[in-house]
Each structure stands twice: as C-alpha cells, then as structure tokens.
Amino acid sequence: MKKTPLHGELAVPGDKSISHRSIMLGALAKGTTRVENFLQGADCLSTIDCFRAMGISIENHADQNQVLIHGRGLHGLTAPGSVLDCGNSGTTTRLISGILAAQPFASELTGDASIRKRPMGRIITPLTAMGADISSINGNGCAPLRIRGQRLTGIHYQSPVASAQVKSSVLLAGLYADGTTTVTEPYLSRNHTERMLEGFGAKMTCDGTSASLTPPKELFAQEFAVPGDISSAAYFITAAALIPGSELLIRNVGVNPTRDGILRVYRDMGADISLLNERTVSGEPVADLLIRGSLLHGTAIGGSVIPALIDELPIIAVATCFAEGETVISDATELKVKESNRIAVMTEGLSAMGADVTETEDGMIIRGGRPLKAAVIDSCLDHRIAMSFTIAGLLCGEMPDIRGGDCVRISYPSFYKDLQKIVSGNGMSDKIYFPTCF
Ligand code: S3P
C-alpha cells in the first residue's frame, strides 16, 4: 500500500522526567520556582499532589503549562496526613522515597496496581545502606512502602542497573546525608537530576558513569523551562522517518545525549534526521528536529545505548517491523519491569498484527518487511504501548483496536489531538481510531 507522506510541524509537551524533578527540587529550594512548559501528564500531577500533601503550596496554571512552586527549603516538608499516592508513576515513587528517607517524620507511599508490582528493592537496598528505615509493607519488595526518616550517611553505591530512578533516589537522599554520596552505574542513565541539582546550586561532580553530590546548605529557587519530551516526539519521529516523502518539523525537543539513543539508532538504520537551532535551555540541550521520510534497514541495538532509548524501545520495535531485514534488540531486560512487561506485550501485539517477532531473554528479534494488519491490542494500561500501536496502525494503514487507549494521559494527554493535526490534510484522518474520551 502506498503511504501518504506526513507534512507539517508540531511541538510536543514538556519532558516527563524533567517535569517531575522540577517539582521536587522546587519544593526543596527556598523561594518560588517558576516552571514553564510543565507536562500536565497524570504522572507529573501525582508528584504535585504528593508535595502538596507535605505542605508545599504549588500553583498549577494548567492552561499555560506553568507551575509556581513555593519552596520551603531543604527542611520545610511536613508530615503528610495520609498515604502518599504515586498513581502509575515509578519516578514519583522512587525519587520521593530518597527524599522521605531523611525527613523527620514517617510516611507511606503507594500507587496503582502496576506500581504495586514494580520492584522497589532496587532503591530499598542503597537507601538502607545509607541508614534509611524503609520497607515494603507486604514484604514482596514492592509498594506500598513505609519509610521512617533517619539520619543518613553518604555512600558510594555501585548500582547493578543503569537506572536514573535508582541514581536519583540515592542522590536526593544524599542531599541530607553526612558526607559525599556517589552513584556509579554500569552505563550512564539520563542525567537530568545531576544537571538540575547543579542548576539549583548544589555541587555535583560527574565522571563517566559516576555522579557525586556534596550536600548543599540549601537549594535556590529557579526560573525553569522544560524542553519538549523526546520520548513523546519519538512517535512522530518514527511515523515521519518511515514514510518516504514525509517532512516533519518537531520544535523544541530535548536532545540530552543520555536520551537521544533513538536518533542515533534511526540514523544507523538510514533515517534522515537533522538537528536545527541547537541551544541550551535551563541546562539541557534542545533542538528542532527535521525528519524526512526514507527507507530504513534493520540493525543491532544493545549495550550502552539502551538506557538512552529505554522508553522508546516499544516504538522502535514498531519501526523495525517496517524496515528491511533483521533487527536484534538485546540487553533490554529492564523493559520487563516498566509499566507493563514491554518485551512480552510488544511481541504479542506485533505478532497479532502479522509481524515476525521473537521474544528473547533480554529483548526481541524482529524480521522486518512483512505486511501488518489491524488486530485487537491490549494496552495493559501502558501509555507507551498504546501510542506505539497507534503509530503501527498509521504505518500499515489499518488502525488496531487498542483497549485502554486513554492511558496516554500518563505522559502525553494531547497525543491523539497532535496525531490528528499531523494526519489531517494527508487524507488519513478517516483511518485513525481516536478514543471517544478525546
Ligand atoms: C525515568 C527513568 C527511566 C525511565 C522512566 C523515567 C526517570 O527509568 O524508564 O520512564 O525519570 O528517571 P529507569 O531509570 O528505572 O530505567
């Protein structure tokens, strides 16, 4: 089937990881931090709710994506009156735990059914080594968690996983520790916490895969602009890169080298992606992306690039089904402990659509080039699964019946609206399934 090229331009919403951190550091800084282009995704709203429950006044001007956080300093949090609800957000749960470990009060954290299945042992272990009193209430290593604040000591933690959530949890606990806190990871994960801690006035030393924090006396309020989320841009980058004749401009995308793995891999596969107007905004590299459609070929994806594209692997898996030849994704076991088991769910869904995909111990093998067709897909309430299969539908010209598609509100509430904008005028609107809630 001849695909209709995509033309136009858009700006995706603010980065999820950076939006979370802006609330956390804004709450712990003295004075009012103003955040522009804040992501109004459900996960980031969970972070706002948790800090409001700990006495921080936060004004969310959602119509302008602007948030004002009236920070009360490092020691300004107050005991929450009830259990803190992190919703679907692993970042909220793990990062807040690091902060709570050092507060002069006890607290409990929980979340939705998915969060209550995700591994928290990875933060319980290092925080306990720092002197924290943190436990899994049901004894299964998952939330709900009970934390009784303690005096902490800095450690050098050799993390067995390349995880920014683990690294950030330990570094945030380190804000309160006696002495320096260092985290070394097997590969470098996203370094937004390190960059932002520096921006708020802390002293960070970063060397290779190690990050060290010297506890500051205080953090200082900032004016902050969140770059567009490359993980949200990924869906439109993929659609445009794979349809020959397309030319799409995505403005204001964060291109931090710890997050740009998708650009590197797509270029390896033959994609035509240019970075325009490269600049630094609030300590983060940002660019406008110009994507021109072409024919892509398979590749090998593994090793140190994995943390730099971990959230994009579902959509990259879709892309490789439309590329010529074989793609091997390896070293990606972390995908099994995301909002869903993304290796199993992608393999099942893509196979149902007719793709040639084999699940492996640590990834997938995809032989591209087979025609795909619509199928019933269970999103497992995982936002990245819902968006990936929507793009699979766009690329094969037949929209799958995606169950629970409104879960995109977790990271990209305007996803279907933006998609509609891009496809309208290309004669494809009638083929796109838009959940009624949008
Ligand atoms: C995130 C880190 C990643 C990523 C998640 C957000 C963060 O998780 O998958 O969506 O904001 O630190 P891990 O660090 O656990 O891999």
Side-chain angles (χ1 to χ4, degrees):
M1 192 195 81
K2 175 142 176 36
K3 294 171 199 156
T4 317
L6 298 177
H7 287 281
E9 64 175 84
L10 83 159
V12 291
D15 186 274
K16 178 158 81 72
S17 294
I18 297 175
S19 294
H20 280 297
R21 287 157 172 80
S22 70
I23 298 298
M24 296 180 189
L25 294 192
L28 300 181
K30 260 218 168 93
T32 298
T33 287
R34 183 166 60 201
V35 183
E36 305 287 353
N37 201 32
F38 182 83
L39 171 65
Q40 299 289 333
D43 270 9
C44 300
L45 300 182
S46 294
T47 294
I48 290 186
D49 286 344
C50 288
F51 279 91
R52 281 183 176 151
M54 292 190 282
I56 302 300
S57 158
I58 301 174
E59 294 172 58
N60 184 7
H61 302 290
D63 50 332
Q64 299 158 55
N65 299 324
Q66 186 198 68
V67 177
L68 299 177
I69 308 140
H70 302 290
R72 288 161 46 99
L74 277 171
H75 302 281
L77 300 181
T78 54
S82 55
V83 176
L84 295 170
D85 185 357
C86 301
N88 190 243
S89 174
T91 306
T92 309
T93 313
R94 296 194 176 110
L95 270 60
I96 287 191
S97 293
I99 296 170
L100 290 173
Q103 300 306 312
F105 52 77
S107 52
E108 282 183 24
L109 285 176
T110 192
D112 68 7
S114 153
I115 271 295
R116 282 183 272 116
K117 278 193 244 148
R118 295 181 65 186
M120 293 298 150
R122 54 180 57 199
I123 55 157
I124 293 176
T125 300
L127 292 176
T128 303
M130 296 176 81
D133 179 353
I134 170 169
S135 58
S136 158
I137 290 175
N138 297 330
N140 59 357
C142 303
L145 302 175
R146 179 176 297 124
I147 303 173
R148 296 187 188 88
Q150 303 290 325
R151 205 182 166 128
L152 304 182
T153 312
I155 56 168
H156 184 165
Y157 185 57
Q158 302 274 354
S159 178
V161 280
S163 161
Q165 294 185 351
V166 171
K167 172 173 64 178
S168 303
S169 183
V170 174
L171 290 175
L172 291 173
L175 284 172
Y176 298 91
D178 291 330
T180 301
T181 295
T182 303
V183 180
T184 300
E185 35 185 6
Y187 296 119
L188 186 61
S189 66
R190 64 191 66 190
N191 61 7
H192 306 303
T193 303
E194 297 92 305
R195 288 173 185 258
M196 208 184 283
L197 276 168
E198 244 180 356
F200 275 77
K203 188 175 170 337
M204 293 292 319
T205 312
C206 299
D207 184 13
T209 63
S210 295
S212 296
L213 169 76
T214 309
K217 285 210 169 52
E218 60 182 289
L219 298 175
F220 301 97
Q222 299 296 309
E223 300 276 313
F224 201 87
V226 180
D229 197 329
I230 191 167
S231 300
S232 298
Y235 304 99
F236 298 111
I237 295 172
T238 302
L242 279 157
I243 304 181
S246 295
E247 193 166 306
L248 185 67
L249 182 71
I250 311 181
R251 277 178 277 109
N252 190 37
V253 181
V255 289
N256 182 319
T258 62
R259 294 285 299 282
D260 71 350
I262 186 171
L263 305 181
R264 287 183 259 153
V265 163
Y266 280 1
R267 280 176 172 153
D268 265 6
M269 294 172 72
D272 179 353
I273 303 175
S274 320
L275 268 60
L276 311 177
N277 194 14
E278 290 184 66
R279 57 217 187 254
T280 300
V281 177
S282 299
E284 289 281 346
V286 172
D288 302 330
L289 303 184
L290 179 64
I291 304 109
R292 293 196 180 93
S294 48
L295 294 174
L296 304 193
H297 52 79
T299 187
I301 308 171
S304 63
V305 79
I306 293 292
L309 48 64
I310 189 74
D311 291 340
E312 289 65 78
L313 280 169
I315 186 63
I316 291 173
V318 168
T320 62
C321 293
F322 294 91
E324 204 48 53
E326 186 176 89
T327 293
V328 179
I329 301 174
S330 54
D331 305 316
T333 48
E334 277 296 297
L335 283 187
K336 296 181 182 175
V337 292
K338 294 296 178 188
E339 286 82 330
S340 68
N341 176 342
R342 289 179 175 163
I343 296 182
V345 175
M346 287 310 297
T347 304
E348 196 180 322
L350 288 171
S351 303
M353 290 183 76
D356 183 351
V357 185
T358 310
E359 178 174 347
T360 63
E361 263 300 284
D362 64 346
M364 288 176 246
I365 300 173
I366 299 142
R367 284 158 291 266
R370 275 218 207 163
L372 265 56
K373 58 179 182 345
V376 175
I377 303 290
D378 183 358
S379 72
C380 296
L381 302 182
D382 182 336
H383 52 131
R384 304 219 185 271
I385 299 294
M387 291 187 276
S388 296
F389 279 104
T390 304
I391 299 300
L394 178 72
L395 289 170
C396 75
E398 264 186 55
M399 219 14 84
D401 179 0
I402 300 170
R403 302 288 154 91
D406 58 338
C407 63
V408 305
R409 72 192 158 75
I410 294 291
S411 64
Y412 196 165
S414 58
F415 172 70
Y416 297 107
K417 244 197 325 214
D418 287 351
L419 177 63
Q420 194 160 34
K421 191 173 138 195
I422 291 304
V423 298
S424 66
N426 289 280
M428 295 167 91
S429 323
D430 55 327
K431 299 203 186 85
I432 306 284
Y433 158 78
F434 294 103
T436 45
C437 52
F438 292 88

